[in-house]
Amino acid sequence: MEPEIENQNRRCPRLGSPVPLSYCMKCNDNHRPCGKVIDCWWEFFDIKSYLEKNLSTEDFTELVNQKPQDKITSILELIEKAKNR
Ligand code: SF4
């Protein structure tokens, strides 16, 4: 990961605090990227090209093609993850 991009921060809408891209790239199950990584980072730089370059073809395709979750599903998943920590 390029250091200048890795160290860039943005406010996470889920956590309510700043997070670096390096966090977003590994915060999902099995250290995979957050499902909102494209939505959250497209205004800062060309995140799609970055993901295409840094993920396997399979992971990139899965991320780009995933269906957005409704808010209730996202919240329930976050609660479940918090319980397991
Ligand atoms: S990509 Fe995920 S972890 Fe990163 S800022 Fe967005 S919602 Fe938060």
Side-chain angles (χ1 to χ4, degrees):
M1 188 182 285
E2 295 89 353
E4 69 277 6
I5 294 172
E6 179 185 47
N7 294 329
Q8 198 166 347
N9 285 283
R10 63 146 290 144
R11 184 185 173 281
C12 174
R14 289 182 170 170
L15 301 175
S17 58
V19 294
L21 177 62
S22 56
Y23 172 81
C24 304
M25 288 297 290
K26 296 187 177 186
C27 68
N28 226 336
D29 296 335
N30 299 320
H31 299 284
R32 296 168 83 174
C34 175
K36 288 181 63 68
V37 72
I38 295 172
D39 288 345
C40 288
W41 287 95
W42 70 269
E43 290 176 287
F44 295 86
F45 70 105
D46 185 0
I47 182 69
K48 268 197 178 177
S49 296
Y50 176 82
L51 293 170
E52 197 167 17
K53 188 172 145 194
N54 288 282
L55 296 177
S56 68
T57 305
E58 184 182 73
D59 286 349
F60 176 75
T61 304
E62 188 182 317
L63 191 65
V64 169
N65 292 328
Q66 72 182 355
K67 291 179 186 156
Q69 289 181 335
D70 61 61
K71 281 195 174 184
I72 297 294
T73 306
S74 296
I75 290 167
L76 291 175
E77 278 188 14
L78 285 173
I79 291 168
E80 201 55 44
K81 278 185 186 174
K83 280 183 190 172
N84 295 330
R85 285 187 187 158

